[in-house]
């Protein structure tokens, strides 16, 4: 069985053809920069995949998208894609795969499901896993006892919109001081520039942090503290076993993960919180695609 997986992020769209054992047969990625019609990028990235694996071979599609979203209506309104508000993404893909199932979940939910399905070597059937996508925004998703927990509206896991600083800057979601305003790539770069850094983007900021540039390192420590607040809040509520961190900013490696683990350990007061394991994704960018595929594949 082969299905189409689509990962909708704030700066790029990715797609892949995925087998039921997790093998990725074909993949493609398309940036959004400079595009006024994101749906054209969606058609392009899917077209690249179906150019290698014909659509007739695909038995369904799973979509992981930045949110908010409405899985019942099949629409998405990603905070970081202003051109899409209530965009009917399920209908759009359904036209390419008529008569086959198309399922939608949050990108963080798909990342968590992908890690649970193909990434965690000691997977516990009854375990509780939080996946976090730290990139253009900060998203999240939950897998509880082997199933993605979507919530009544399909938006469970919006951990980037937990308040980390009540007096903080406004967030695109309409609140203030959200984790995303401190820990997303653009937020970190904006803060670093306001404090004298002159680099270009989050990748350069990570390189400078690794090279010992003080303001760059502090930007990552601020982000780590905000992420730790969200992680411990979620764990206190849900008694999590593991948190898996992915996304472009998370690819910075130790400059984020070291201060993040330190902040979690420093603030984990309750005994059950101290057993929490925080790790980087073992699947990299494939986690979200595999999780999207798992929405329609038998696991």
């Amino acid at each position: 069985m082969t299905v189409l997986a689509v990962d909708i992020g704030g700066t790029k769209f990715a797609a892949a053809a995925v087998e039921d054992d997790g093998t990725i047969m074909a993949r493609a990625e398309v940036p959004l920069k400079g595009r006024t019609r994101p749906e054209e990028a969606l058609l392009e990235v899917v077209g690249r995949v179906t150019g290698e694996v014909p659509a007739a071979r695909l038995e369904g599609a799973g979509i992981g998208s930045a949110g908010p979203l409405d899985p019942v209506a099949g629409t998405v309104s990603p905070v970081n894609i202003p051109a899409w508000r209530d965009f009917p993404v399920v209908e759009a893909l359904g036209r390419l795969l008529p008569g086959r199932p198309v399922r939608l979940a949050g990108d963080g939910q798909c990342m968590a499901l992908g890690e649970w399905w193909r990434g965690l070597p000691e997977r516990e059937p009854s375990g509780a896993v939080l996946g976090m996508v730290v990139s253009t925004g900060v998203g999240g998703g939950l897998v509880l006892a082997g199933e993605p927990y979507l919530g009544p509206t399909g938006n469970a896991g919006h951990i980037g919109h937990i308040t980390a600083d009540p007096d903080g800057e406004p967030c695109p979601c309409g609140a203030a001081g959200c984790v995303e305003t401190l820990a997303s790539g653009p937020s970190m770069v904006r803060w670093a520039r306001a404090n004298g850094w002159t680099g270009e983007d989050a990748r350069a900021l990570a390189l400078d942090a690794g090279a010992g540039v003080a303001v760059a390192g502090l930007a990552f420590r601020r982000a780590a503290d905000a992420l730790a607040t969200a992680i411990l809040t979620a764990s206190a509520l849900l008694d999590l076993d593991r948190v898996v961190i992915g996304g472009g900013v998370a690819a910075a490696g130790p400059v984020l993960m070291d201060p993040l683990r330190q902040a979690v350990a420093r603030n984990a007061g309750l005994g059950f919180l101290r057993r929490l394991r925080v790790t980087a994704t073992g699947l990299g960018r494939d986690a979200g695609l595999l999780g999207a595929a798992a929405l329609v594949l038998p696991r």
Side-chain angles (χ1 to χ4, degrees):
M1 182 176 184
T2 307
V3 299
L4 176 68
V6 178
D7 185 6
I8 295 173
T11 57
K12 65 173 179 62
F13 292 170
V18 183
E19 300 276 271
D20 51 14
D21 64 356
T23 301
I24 294 179
M25 304 298 293
R27 78 179 77 214
E29 188 173 300
V30 171
L32 287 182
K33 187 175 181 179
R35 295 177 183 264
T36 57
R37 291 176 56 82
E39 53 270 31
E40 294 174 355
L42 178 65
L43 293 175
E44 180 180 339
V45 76
V46 171
R48 290 187 188 181
V49 171
T50 55
E52 296 184 50
V53 178
R57 284 185 53 192
L58 301 173
E59 298 183 50
I63 308 165
S65 176
L69 48 84
D70 184 340
V72 175
T75 60
V76 296
S77 303
V79 171
N80 293 302
I81 308 179
W84 272 8
R85 291 295 175 263
D86 297 320
F87 178 74
V89 67
V90 168
E91 179 185 332
L93 281 190
R95 287 195 294 267
L96 303 177
L97 302 173
R100 283 156 280 182
V102 179
R103 299 199 175 111
L104 170 66
D107 57 350
Q109 293 156 344
C110 288
M111 182 263 190
L113 184 58
E115 285 288 345
W116 188 89
W117 180 43
R118 303 302 304 175
L120 298 182
E122 69 287 359
R123 181 174 71 193
E124 280 290 334
S126 61
V129 177
L130 168 67
M132 293 184 71
V133 180
V134 186
S135 188
T136 308
V138 177
L142 295 160
V143 175
L144 306 178
E147 292 296 327
Y149 177 72
L150 307 183
T153 70
N155 287 284
H158 267 68
I159 197 163
H161 299 286
I162 286 176
T163 299
D165 178 6
D167 298 318
E169 66 178 82
C171 178
C173 77
C178 294
V179 170
E180 189 167 296
T181 68
L182 294 158
S184 73
S187 297
M188 293 168 63
V189 168
R190 186 166 56 250
W191 181 88
R193 285 178 176 163
N195 286 273
W197 186 68
T198 58
E200 290 296 321
D201 54 25
R203 187 185 300 271
L205 189 67
L207 290 173
D208 279 357
V213 175
V215 68
L218 184 54
F220 275 90
R221 289 194 294 276
R222 289 177 78 252
D225 286 345
L227 292 170
T229 295
I231 286 169
L232 289 169
T233 299
S235 190
L237 286 171
L238 297 168
D239 193 13
L240 299 173
D241 299 296
R242 183 188 288 265
V243 177
V244 184
I245 310 290
V249 174
V255 297
L256 177 67
M257 295 304 299
D258 286 352
L260 175 56
R261 290 192 184 100
Q262 291 162 11
V264 169
R266 185 171 63 247
N267 294 298
L270 297 170
F272 74 93
L273 294 177
R274 292 194 289 272
R275 72 181 183 83
L276 180 66
R277 288 171 292 171
V278 180
T279 62
T281 173
L283 298 174
R285 292 189 173 190
D286 289 346
L289 288 169
L290 289 169
L295 294 173
V296 287
L297 286 170
R299 296 188 299 280

